[in-house]
Amino acid sequence: MTELSTIYKLSLVTFICFIKACSSSSCPVLECWFVQEKTGRGGGLTGATSQEKSLLHIRTDAHSHTTKSQQAPSDINPDRVYSITDPAATLCHHSLNPPRGSVEKPQCEINPFSPQPSDLKWVAPLTDSGLSPIYLEADWFSTSLQGLNKQVAISTIMRAPTATKEHNVILSVTSNTVSVQSRLGEPVLLDCGFWVDSSSPLSGSGFAVEWRYQFRGDGRLVLAYDGKTDRLADAKEKGATLDFEGLHEKGNASLILQEAEVRHSGMYICSVYLPHIVAQVTLELEVVEPPSVSIYPSPLPLAVQGQTLTAQCEASGFAPLSLELSWEFQGIDGKSRPLGSGSVTGHRQAWDGTYSQSSRLELDTTKLDLGRGGEVICVAVHLGGKRQASVTLNIIGFSTPSIEDSMGMVGVAVVLYGLIKFVSWTFTSSGSDVAGQQEKKDK
Amino acid sequence: MKMKMLLFLLLLGIVGPHCTSARTHSMKYFYTGSSGVPKLPEFVSVGLVDDVEMTHYDSNTKRAEPKQDWMKNITDEVPQYWERNTQISLGNQQVFKVDIEIVKQRLNQTGGVHIFQQMYGCDWDDETGEVKGYNHYGFDGEDFLVLDLETETWIAPRREAVLTKQKWENDKALMAQLKNYFTHICPEYLKKYVNLGRSVLMRTEIPSVSLLQKSPSSPVSCHATGFYPDRAAMFWTRDGEEFHHNVDHGEILPNHDGSFQMSVDLDVSSFPAEHWDKYRCVFQLSGVKEDHVIVLDPAVIRSNRGNPLLLPLIIGAAVAALALLLAGIGFLVYRKRNANKKPLSAASSAELTERLNQPPQ
C-alpha cells in the first residue's frame, strides 16, 4: 500500500516534470512572507522581526526561462523577488497554485538560514568527515509552505551563491498527509518524503530522519534514524517503524504506527537532516473512535400505566472527548419525538485513553404521552459519527389502577366501614355528645 | 453497631506510625499574557511548589506577593526576595506584551482573544537527587516552542516557531544559561521552598476509606478521601492477588482543603454471595508502610438508598399504626360516652340513623 502510493506519487512527479519540460507555466509564482530576525537581544521569544512581502518564481530547470517577465506588484521590494530552481518540482504542487481570485491563499514564509552542524546523536556522524566550508559560504534560505486545505506541507532549504538571487533547492521535505484521522487500532501512515539535490556536495554524506511527537505539553522522541551508519536511536515508542528500503531509495521517510492508540493523537514533526542543514514538516494525527452505545436494562420490564421506568444509556470507548447524548421515542405509529438528554454523567477515561459517559432517563408513563409503548432510542453524536441503541417499551393495562391506588382504596373503604359501623353502633345504643352537637348544627 | 465496630477496627489497623518518605518535588512558573480578555490582567505570573501556589504577580497589582504563610519567611534567606521578584515580573510583563503581538502577527491573528503562555520549572527527587527541567511556550492552548534539555534543542511543532528554534539553537550562550538555570538554580530554589513549607508540603494525611454502593445492582465503589500527598494507589484483590476484571479505576481528584480523593469500582453483579469475602480493597499511600485493607462485606457497604423491600413493610406498618390509632380513639370515645350517659331522644336518634343509612349518592 505504502509502496504503491509512493510509486504512484513518483510517477505523478515524473509526469509533472515531463509536463514542466514542455511548458513551465504551471509552476506558480508564490507570494511569500520574507521574515527575518533583527539581530540583538537573545532572550526574547522572537526578538524583533521584520516581515516583508516577497515573490518566489519557481522553475524546474535553471536554464529555462522563468516567468519573470510578469510584472512584480508595486508593493513588493524588487530585492525580495527571487527565482528558485526546484528540479523535483515539489513547489509546483497544485495546491500552491490556487485559481486566480480565490480568497484562500497557500501559506508561505521564507527566512534566512544559517547552516550549522548538529550535536544530536543521530545527526553528529554526518559532519564527522568535515566538509568544504566554501560550499557553505553562500546565502542560505529556508521556506515553509502549506497548500490549500492542508493538502501539502513543504519545507525547503535553498542555497544562492552570495549576492545572487538565484536560489537552488538543496533539500525539500514534503508531507501529503498534513492532517490525518484514524480509527483506534488501525495502522497509521504519516507521510513524509524528502528530496536532495544530487549535485550538491551535501548529498553524498548521508542523512538522518527524526520523528517527534509534541502535543499539549507532552512530548517524546518517536524515532530517530541515522542513515549514514544505518542506526536507530533508542526511542521508547513501540510499534513505530519506517520503510527503510523506501527511505534509502526514494527518500520515503513516512512513519508507520502499527496500531493507533488514543495517546497517539497530536502533532508529529518529521525532520530530515543533511550535514549542516535540516528541514522539518509538521503533521497532525487525530485518533477518532465513535462510541459503542447500549441501553440498560434490556429488554425493559413491562411498564404498567402510571409507573415510572428508568433506562440507562451507556456510551463507551470513544475518543476524543465531547459527546452529545439524547433520547428519542418512536411510537407504534412510527412518529418519533425527542425525550431530552436525560441526566448525563461526567465522562470517565479508561486505561486505553478512551472515554465513556452515560445518561439516565426517567420514563414517566403518565406524564409522557407514550400510548401503548414503542421504541426508546438513545442517540450519541460524536466526531466519529452518530451511534444509537434502542429498546422496546411495552405499556400494559391502560385503565388498571396502580398498586398504590388499590391499596389506598382498600384502606379508605376499611376506615369508612369502621367509622360507619362504629357511629351507627354508638347511636343505636346510646348516642353521643359529638353526634348531638352535629345534630344541632344540622338543624 | 457491629458494622461501626468493624470499620473502627479497620481504621485502627492503619493508623500506625508513619514516616515522611522520599518524594518528587516540583517548582513551576506559569506566565500568561493575554489580549482581548476584558477582566483578566494582561500578564499574570504564578509560582507553584508541589502544585501549591506560592507566589503571584499580575499586571494590575504590579507586585510579587506570597500566597502561602510559610513563603513570607523566604526573606530570612533571600532578603530582597519580593523586590527582586517584582522587578523580574515587571520585566517579563514587558517581554510578554511584545511577544504576544509578534506571535499574533506571525500567525496572522489580529483580533479576538489570544493567550500566550510560558511554563517552566523543574522536578527534583529528594532521594536520588535527580533533576528534570522543562520550559514550554504555548499559544492559544497549543505548544509553540518546547525546550528539550536532553538534546539541547528546541521543538517547534508549528512552522512559525521554526525561525525562533533556529535562532535559539544557534545561540550557544543562551543554551548554556538555560542549562545552568534548570540544572542548578531551579532545584536550589525548589529546595529552599520545600524546606520553608515542609510542615505543609511534607505532611502525610491518612484518608477515610469506605465501600459505597448506589443500588444493589450498582458496582461497589471503594472510596478514599482526605489523603495527602497525591501519590497513592488503590486496587481490588481476590484471594490476595490483584484483580483487574470488572474493575473501573477513577482518577485522583483534589478536595477543597488540599487533600485528595480517589475511588475504584468493582462490579459485583456476577459474584455469588459466598465469594464476596475473597475480595479486598487495598489503598496505599506514598510514605505509609501499612496498606489500608477493607474486606468486601455487605455489612460495611454504605448506601443512601434503603432496601427496596422495605417500602411495602413501611406502608403496612403505617396502615397498622393508623388502624391502632383509630381503634384507640374509638375506645376512648366509647369510654367517655359511657361515663356520662346522656339520654338522647329516640326521634333524633332515629333521624340520625336514617340519615347515616342513606345510600351514598
Side-chain angles (χ1 to χ4, degrees):
Chain A
M1 176 63 203
T2 319
E3 282 183 12
L4 198 80
S5 69
T6 317
I7 288 163
Y8 171 72
K9 255 183 297 177
L10 276 171
S11 55
L12 198 74
V13 166
T14 338
F15 181 63
I16 289 167
C17 290
F18 176 70
I19 300 256
K20 293 289 135 44
C22 307
S23 66
S24 62
S25 63
S26 75
C27 273
V29 176
L30 288 169
E31 268 185 47
C32 211
W33 286 106
F34 180 89
V35 184
Q36 73 178 328
E37 261 187 273
K38 289 169 184 164
T39 45
R41 201 165 56 109
L45 178 68
T46 43
T49 52
S50 74
Q51 197 162 327
E52 299 165 72
K53 270 192 179 176
S54 153
L55 218 55
L56 312 181
H57 291 274
I58 317 292
R59 56 183 177 178
T60 53
D61 180 356
H63 305 294
S64 74
H65 260 285
T66 59
T67 43
K68 226 171 191 174
S69 49
Q70 225 178 305
Q71 196 61 47
S74 55
D75 62 337
I76 295 178
N77 179 353
D79 286 346
R80 295 286 171 241
V81 179
Y82 301 100
S83 71
I84 293 168
T85 308
D86 176 22
T90 312
L91 299 174
C92 305
H93 194 276
H94 62 91
S95 72
L96 295 174
N97 198 5
R100 262 172 198 282
S102 64
V103 185
E104 287 281 308
K105 289 247 155 71
Q107 296 169 39
C108 176
E109 185 174 304
I110 177 164
N111 319 108
F113 179 85
S114 57
Q116 293 280 340
S118 168
D119 296 332
L120 284 169
K121 251 189 281 172
W122 43 94
V123 185
L126 300 183
T127 42
D128 272 353
S129 51
L131 194 89
S132 160
I134 301 153
Y135 180 75
L136 297 175
E137 272 169 27
D139 290 337
W140 290 84
F141 291 89
S142 63
T143 57
S144 68
L145 303 104
Q146 187 171 296
L148 288 177
N149 305 319
K150 294 189 176 177
Q151 286 181 54
V152 69
I154 303 165
S155 182
T156 68
I157 300 294
M158 302 175 301
R159 178 184 182 271
T162 311
T164 67
K165 288 189 286 165
E166 306 285 309
H167 293 199
N168 292 296
V169 173
I170 305 300
L171 168 68
S172 67
V173 179
T174 309
S175 173
N176 292 301
T177 58
V178 179
S179 186
V180 183
Q181 266 201 6
S182 167
R183 290 284 298 267
L184 211 60
E186 281 181 358
V188 181
L189 177 84
L190 299 174
D191 177 69
C192 180
F194 68 97
W195 175 88
V196 185
D197 176 9
S198 53
S199 68
S200 164
L202 301 182
S203 76
S205 319
F207 62 89
V209 174
E210 177 194 294
W211 276 94
R212 264 187 188 278
Y213 168 88
Q214 185 67 47
F215 193 56
R216 297 189 180 155
D218 182 20
R220 56 182 177 262
L221 179 70
V222 177
L223 194 145
Y225 175 70
D226 170 3
K228 189 180 181 185
T229 60
D230 187 28
R231 216 172 283 167
L232 267 173
D234 312 326
K236 286 131 205 156
E237 194 75 44
K238 278 182 203 157
T241 54
L242 300 177
D243 164 16
F244 293 101
E245 208 171 298
L247 178 63
H248 281 276
E249 281 171 17
K250 293 169 269 177
N252 175 9
S254 302
L255 182 75
I256 301 148
L257 298 174
Q258 275 157 11
E259 255 180 62
E261 294 173 33
V262 175
R263 64 182 192 94
H264 288 147
S265 285
M267 311 299 283
Y268 287 82
I269 305 165
C270 169
S271 306
V272 177
Y273 293 85
L274 292 184
H276 296 91
I277 62 172
V278 55
Q280 66 167 62
V281 289
T282 303
L283 293 77
E284 184 174 11
L285 169 65
E286 191 170 28
V287 177
V288 177
E289 185 67 23
S292 15
V293 182
S294 49
I295 298 179
Y296 301 102
S298 184
L300 282 175
L302 277 181
V304 179
Q305 180 73 25
Q307 218 179 13
T308 299
L309 274 184
T310 304
Q312 184 104 7
C313 176
E314 174 92 18
S316 58
F318 66 91
L321 264 188
S322 183
L323 180 78
E324 259 177 65
L325 282 175
S326 62
W327 294 87
E328 276 172 24
F329 175 75
Q330 191 173 29
I332 292 164
D333 52 0
K335 277 185 197 160
S336 72
R337 62 194 171 91
L339 293 175
S341 56
S343 313
V344 182
T345 64
H347 60 262
R348 298 172 71 98
Q349 192 166 24
W351 60 272
D352 64 351
T354 62
Y355 298 94
S356 62
Q357 198 166 18
S358 56
S359 168
R360 206 185 73 239
L361 181 72
E362 301 263 330
L363 271 169
D364 189 336
T365 48
T366 43
K367 283 196 194 120
L368 300 161
D369 179 26
L370 303 175
R372 267 183 284 164
E375 290 290 303
V376 175
I377 306 159
C378 171
V379 183
V381 179
H382 183 256
L383 179 65
K386 192 168 130 179
R387 294 288 186 275
Q388 61 182 50
S390 65
V391 281
T392 307
L393 172 72
N394 283 309
I395 300 174
I396 50 156
F398 256 115
S399 49
T400 314
S402 70
I403 292 164
E404 285 92 335
D405 286 346
S406 322
M407 276 175 67
M409 268 150 53
V410 169
V412 167
V414 165
V415 170
L416 208 65
Y417 173 77
L419 208 67
I420 292 166
K421 196 80 186 158
F422 163 68
V423 169
S424 68
W425 173 69
T426 314
F427 278 87
T428 44
S429 60
S430 48
S432 79
D433 282 351
V434 185
Q437 270 162 20
Q438 203 173 342
E439 196 199 342
K440 270 175 210 160
K441 256 185 216 159
D442 285 348
K443 284 197 171 168
Chain B
M1 192 58 213
K2 188 184 150 202
M3 183 185 104
K4 269 192 181 161
M5 241 342 238
L6 196 67
L7 263 177
F8 178 67
L9 286 172
L10 282 167
L11 283 169
L12 209 70
I14 59 128
V15 190
H18 49 265
C19 51
T20 46
S21 62
R23 275 178 203 176
T24 305
H25 297 281
S26 70
M27 172 174 111
K28 289 176 197 145
Y29 278 95
F30 288 84
Y31 296 167
T32 304
S34 60
S35 74
V37 193
K39 281 187 181 156
L40 191 71
E42 265 185 355
F43 177 74
V44 181
S45 161
V46 174
L48 292 90
V49 169
D50 289 0
D51 295 320
V52 174
E53 187 179 1
M54 54 154 185
T55 62
H56 180 98
Y57 168 95
D58 67 51
S59 50
N60 291 348
T61 63
K62 291 194 167 59
R63 267 176 49 171
E65 285 166 338
K67 294 299 276 186
Q68 300 292 326
D69 280 337
W70 48 263
M71 260 309 279
K72 291 174 184 159
N73 302 325
I74 188 75
T75 44
D76 297 345
E77 280 183 71
V78 190
Q80 298 291 306
Y81 184 86
W82 300 109
E83 292 78 0
R84 251 179 55 195
N85 271 273
T86 299
Q87 287 309 312
I88 291 170
S89 292
L90 274 167
N92 285 328
Q93 184 185 326
Q94 295 312 313
V95 172
F96 262 60
K97 206 178 163 75
V98 176
D99 278 354
I100 192 168
E101 288 311 315
I102 292 172
V103 178
K104 270 163 67 182
Q105 186 200 354
R106 296 295 314 281
L107 303 187
N108 269 336
Q109 304 283 340
T110 41
V113 171
H114 295 287
I115 304 280
F116 181 62
Q117 284 169 298
Q118 183 183 4
M119 189 278 279
Y120 68 91
C122 52
D123 293 341
W124 163 62
D125 188 318
D126 64 6
E127 203 174 50
T128 63
E130 195 189 333
V131 173
K132 193 178 150 257
Y134 33 83
N135 188 11
H136 295 219
Y137 289 91
F139 183 72
D140 285 353
E142 300 293 342
D143 293 349
F144 189 73
L145 264 172
V146 178
L147 175 64
D148 184 32
L149 279 163
E150 209 177 305
T151 57
E152 299 190 19
T153 55
W154 289 87
I155 319 300
R158 300 193 66 131
R159 56 189 184 84
E160 294 88 350
V162 174
L163 184 64
T164 312
K165 165 189 160 78
Q166 282 162 4
K167 175 192 166 187
W168 284 354
E169 283 178 4
N170 292 345
D171 191 341
K172 301 287 177 215
L174 174 69
M175 189 56 80
Q177 200 185 318
L178 288 169
K179 194 116 190 165
N180 180 49
Y181 177 82
F182 288 109
T183 50
H184 297 112
I185 301 170
C186 185
E188 188 187 304
Y189 269 86
L190 171 56
K191 283 170 204 171
K192 279 198 214 313
Y193 300 140
V194 169
N195 189 38
L196 280 175
R198 62 184 175 277
S199 63
V200 179
L201 303 173
M202 298 291 279
R203 75 188 192 275
T204 301
E205 281 180 54
I206 305 297
S208 64
V209 183
S210 16
L211 298 182
L212 310 170
Q213 192 178 29
K214 271 186 214 152
S215 72
S217 59
S218 325
V220 173
S221 180
C222 184
H223 183 260
T225 184
F227 59 88
Y228 188 92
D230 63 348
R231 297 185 70 188
M234 195 149 106
F235 49 87
W236 283 93
T237 62
R238 186 196 145 108
D239 296 326
E241 298 274 312
E242 210 168 311
F243 187 71
H244 298 286
H245 198 61
N246 295 352
V247 172
D248 199 354
H249 283 263
E251 289 170 88
I252 293 182
L253 305 167
N255 283 328
H256 63 96
D257 62 355
S259 68
F260 297 92
Q261 59 164 282
M262 75 189 299
S263 62
V264 180
D265 295 354
L266 176 71
D267 187 357
V268 292
S269 55
S270 58
F271 301 166
E274 65 269 25
H275 286 174
W276 274 40
D277 56 2
K278 293 178 181 217
Y279 297 89
R280 278 163 179 74
C281 171
V282 180
F283 176 83
Q284 297 171 329
L285 186 61
S286 166
V288 180
K289 279 185 190 136
E290 299 84 356
D291 292 349
H292 186 150
V293 181
I294 293 193
V295 181
L296 179 61
D297 175 359
V300 297
I301 294 174
R302 299 205 284 185
S303 173
N304 50 12
R305 194 192 280 191
N307 189 331
L309 282 172
L310 278 176
L311 197 68
L313 285 178
I314 290 167
I315 292 171
V319 168
L322 192 74
L324 272 172
L325 190 75
L326 280 171
I329 290 169
F331 181 68
L332 279 175
V333 170
Y334 169 76
R335 282 273 300 271
K336 198 181 172 193
R337 200 219 49 209
N338 271 2
N340 46 5
K341 278 180 191 164
K342 215 175 174 185
L344 197 81
S345 74
S348 60
S349 170
E351 205 179 288
L352 193 73
T353 322
E354 205 174 56
R355 202 185 297 169
L356 280 170
N357 287 341
Q358 267 170 8
Q361 284 96 325

